[in-house]
Amino acid sequence: MPPQILIFAFDEWLGNQLREAAAERRWVLREVRQIGAFLTAVAEVRPRVAVVQLERVEAGEIYAAIVELRRNQPETPIVFVSDTKVPDGEKADWAARWFDLGARFVMFPPLTRAILEDAVVGLMVE
Amino acid sequence: MLGANRRLRYANPAWETLTGKSFAALRGTRISATRESASPLWKVLAPPVEVWNGSAMQIRRARPDADHGPPWWDISFVPLTQPHGSAVIGFLTQVGEAQEKHSFREPPALATVREHHAKQFTLELFAGSSPNMQRLQQQLRTTALVHASVWIRGEPGTGKETAARVIHHIGPWKEKAFVALDCRALQPYLIEQLCIGRGGFASSKAVGTLLLKSPELLPRELQAKFVEWSEAKNAPRIISCSAKPPGELVIEGSLVPGFLAKLAALAIDIPPLRERFDELPGMVQFFSLGECDEGIWPALRAHSWPGNLRELRSAMNDAAKNASGNLITVEHLPLYLCEMLLIANSPTPRFVPLAETLESVEREAIKAALESSNSQLSVAAKRLGLSREKLMKRMKTLGME
């Protein structure tokens, strides 16, 4: 089975940013829109990397799911992508706490394809 | 206004208000950005060399007490040519308002989940009765109490990050965050941006422990920046981990010596899984994958586990899947582990002491030579490539007289 990138996002934007990089390397890109589907997919396909979009920074349900994922599959690196604009002075505070939950990389708007690709491809290859 | 010798000649009361300095006290001070002893104020106010060469310039600089604006100080430098040399007038304007300092408040949901997550990382994870494990537990316990840098060495998959987490979560800085950065997977610019870049961890007090995984893979300049950061006030505790000891990496040239001196104050070695077989049941139980039949332990002990705990977890995950919620038995283990068990249980070939074998061969060869030469010692010795004396001596040793 080829390596998989699993994306949990609320729309296609994140997937579109990574589609080209995945296709070039013959990786499978799988997108889910629901937390339940995300956890099921993680257990079934054991993705090489999971990319998680945080719609609201208070999203407790997502955090609990992430902890569950880290406990069961600690080898799966998770990239957190916030789509909420965070004041510059607070980015480090948020990022530190998301890393504490087990994120391997954290991104804030403005999101750029280059950085997203660099982070996800690096973690996939590793 | 600065005179030809770059000394402060005049400043108005508005300048005094903006800088908080008294002109009377500073009159005649040489204003230079290049002198080592130059204060931050002089560095901001010093005209560039182009202005002294006769070009007017407008420059935006951060205030002396800040790394960046707003507010900014916009300074218009105007060179003046005078009979006794050039002078410079600077017009200083403050631009923009200081940004309101953000007061971060962690949402309760996030705090609760983090707390729950942190509770997993206890010393029990490294429990064991062997001297190695007892020592490791003691080291983790002691290290957690001091804010010193640590170097954790261990084979891949031995649990280096877990050990770093335990140190963080049982220590006094557990309220802060644990951040692990994989220097193998993330490009150096991403790591630098996250840590030392604008708005990075260095600008926050949120990180309690920073784990650098394989820091020897970072460019040397970036390694040096981490060394520098570690000496800053409010810097997090830095733990590094790698498969090799830091001294070896310095000799190889992949680690800057400063890293060894400043960021490897304490050293912890994590033994590989093959040296911790006594703890196998406890480790498997920690994975909480289901009940295990006693018969699986010999199979697990028959393998050398080059991937250590990571490999064990993966194998047990597969076994749990195969068992579908039932008791995990040898049949559920991955095939390669079953094969290992078969090899381990196969009868061991019988080994005969080498001296006995050689003597037996010698005896047969001498007997054959004597038979073929009608027991004539000289002829037999010749056929065996020996002198008569040597053959007699050998026969005596072998008890063939």
Side-chain angles (χ1 to χ4, degrees), chain A residues 5 7 9 11-33 51 113 116-117 120-121:
Chain A
I5 303 173
I7 297 179
D11 57 29
E12 289 182 342
W13 189 87
L14 261 183
N16 289 340
Q17 302 306 302
L18 291 168
R19 209 171 304 284
E20 204 175 294
E24 268 174 27
R25 294 163 179 85
R26 297 173 189 272
W27 293 335
V28 174
L29 192 76
R30 185 166 166 178
E31 294 181 72
V32 291
R33 305 273 179 258
V51 182
R113 175 186 289 222
L116 187 62
E117 274 186 1
V120 173
V121 169

Side-chain angles (χ1 to χ4, degrees), chain B residues 50-66:
Chain B
E50 290 87 350
V51 175
W52 290 109
N53 290 338
S55 306
M57 288 182 86
Q58 187 173 35
I59 286 176
R60 171 167 287 189
R61 286 172 174 159
R63 288 194 329 189
D65 58 348

Side-chain angles (χ1 to χ4, degrees), chain B residues 147-162:
Chain B
H147 198 272
S149 60
V150 188
W151 186 281
I152 302 178
R153 195 202 68 80
E155 289 179 13
T158 44
K160 297 186 285 295
E161 182 172 345
T162 305

Side-chain angles (χ1 to χ4, degrees), chain B residues 24-80:
Chain B
L26 297 170
R27 183 176 187 160
T29 306
R30 187 173 159 79
I31 307 227
S32 164
T34 52
R35 293 170 69 176
E36 270 186 31
S37 57
S39 73
L41 176 63
W42 299 151
K43 284 184 178 172
V44 172
L45 294 180
V49 67
E50 290 87 350
V51 175
W52 290 109
N53 290 338
S55 306
M57 288 182 86
Q58 187 173 35
I59 286 176
R60 171 167 287 189
R61 286 172 174 159
R63 288 194 329 189
D65 58 348
D67 292 332
H68 53 78
W72 302 98
W73 278 8
D74 281 359
I75 312 173
S76 298
F77 292 108
V78 180
L80 301 174

